[in-house]
Amino acid sequence: MSDNQNLLAEQRRALILDEVRRRGGVRVNELTRKLNVSDMTVRRDLDALARQGLVEKVHGGAVPVSEPSAHEPGFEAKSGLELSAKEDIAKAAAEMAAPGSAIALAGGTTAFALAQQLLEVPDLTVVTNSVRVADVFYTAQRAAASGGTGSRAGAATVVLTGGVRTPSDTLVGPVADAAIRSLHFDVLFLGVHGISVEAGLSTPNLAEAETNRHFVRSARRVVVVADHTKWGTVGLSSFATLDEVDVLVTDAGIPAQTRAEFAELPPELVVAGEQPDDADI
């Protein structure tokens, strides 16, 4: 079989990685048929992905690299991943924040990207348990107050909850929970560690799971912002079912099979960064 020259090595490996993550494992002979390349080419691709720590080679194929369900990467470790996807998601989600509304914005790098888009929405009241998110608004307010460029001073009223700081720079625990229980939000924008049909929304941090439960209960509308790498991931603790979610905003990297699976579920699925004609593909 001659190698398919229409795909660059990077493109092939991205497709292989998507297959491994979506299906939980692939076989070499399946990939040769799917990609129309030689057995040797697939094995070289798997070797390259294994060297990068992205897959684990097994006899006849590859499986995802096992990550403990209680492992919680830090903010810096996650901030450089899927940047274009997070930007697309942030732009789409920001359109769901009405001027003058009260919103909650939980922690995470996608929520951080969303906060920067929300600077353009006037007169928001923002409640967050993310130190990073709060700093986005504080920095913009200081710049505007000193005559710099950016959003006008007072564009958002920001309430930062208290609590214990997690590796992702969010504040969780009883203090945060008590603050959130006393409030009511028009919209909650929520980033997640993992999302799946069976486990719903999950996180590796038990205290964060409890704080997120209070966020969900206090919101009239729940909007989850999650790039395609979060689909199928399951953390240690589930904190919400998909029935509790109104909108799922993801990026165009979501596999077609996953898209079809989630299209049958209650939440509205919004695929950001996708042209309207692409929706039916």
Side-chain angles (χ1 to χ4, degrees):
M1 179 187 299
S2 61
D3 287 358
N4 186 348
Q5 299 300 320
N6 293 325
L7 289 178
L8 298 174
E10 292 80 4
Q11 294 173 312
R12 278 198 319 272
R13 290 166 191 171
L15 290 171
I16 291 172
L17 187 56
D18 276 343
E19 283 289 295
V20 171
R21 287 172 170 168
R22 180 174 62 84
R23 297 171 51 193
V26 292
R27 300 188 65 81
V28 171
N29 58 5
E30 294 172 338
L31 292 173
T32 58
R33 290 194 298 269
K34 183 178 182 66
L35 299 174
N36 191 29
V37 296
S38 68
D39 191 296
M40 183 175 295
T41 295
V42 169
R43 293 184 186 278
R44 282 200 301 264
D45 287 340
L46 292 179
D47 285 339
L49 292 170
R51 285 195 299 271
Q52 296 174 57
L54 298 174
V55 303
E56 180 180 345
K57 291 185 65 181
V58 296
H59 181 69
V63 297
V65 174
S66 298
E67 181 178 273
S69 61
H71 173 65
E72 182 178 10
F75 186 93
E76 298 299 341
K78 297 184 291 184
S79 61
L81 303 175
E82 305 296 336
L83 291 178
S84 62
K86 290 173 184 175
E87 183 177 357
D88 287 340
I89 292 168
K91 288 178 179 177
E95 296 178 2
M96 302 176 193
S101 60
I103 69 169
L105 194 53
T109 54
T110 307
F112 178 75
L114 174 56
Q116 296 172 70
Q117 298 295 325
L118 291 174
L119 292 174
E120 304 301 322
V121 182
D123 303 317
L124 289 177
T125 297
V126 179
V127 177
T128 184
N129 66 330
S130 169
V131 176
R132 303 279 187 149
V133 165
D135 193 54
V136 169
F137 292 101
Y138 293 151
T139 299
Q141 288 172 349
R142 288 195 297 268
S146 62
T149 58
S151 300
R152 60 185 177 82
T157 300
V158 182
V159 178
L160 176 64
T161 69
V164 178
R165 195 164 179 164
T166 71
S168 58
D169 283 347
T170 56
L171 303 176
V172 300
V175 175
D177 298 348
I180 294 165
R181 279 198 305 268
S182 68
L183 301 171
H184 304 280
F185 314 113
D186 295 309
V187 185
L188 163 65
F189 294 100
L190 182 65
V192 295
H193 172 82
I195 178 171
S196 73
V197 175
E198 298 79 11
L201 312 181
S202 62
T203 173
N205 188 299
L206 291 173
E208 186 173 33
E210 184 61 21
T211 297
N212 283 344
R213 289 187 191 102
H214 291 292
F215 265 132
V216 171
R217 292 168 189 161
S218 297
R220 291 195 299 109
R221 184 171 170 83
V222 177
V223 178
V224 172
V225 289
D227 71 71
H228 68 278
T229 64
K230 307 297 179 64
W231 301 81
T233 298
V234 178
L236 176 63
S237 179
S238 294
F239 59 85
T241 66
L242 294 179
D243 290 340
E244 297 175 275
V245 177
D246 296 288
V247 184
L248 296 169
V249 186
T250 190
D251 64 282
I254 182 173
Q257 182 172 326
T258 303
R259 183 187 308 209
E261 185 178 22
F262 277 83
E264 301 299 320
L265 298 170
E268 176 188 356
L269 183 65
V270 174
V271 181
E274 180 178 72
Q275 297 300 320
D277 290 341
D278 294 340
D280 297 328
I281 294 177

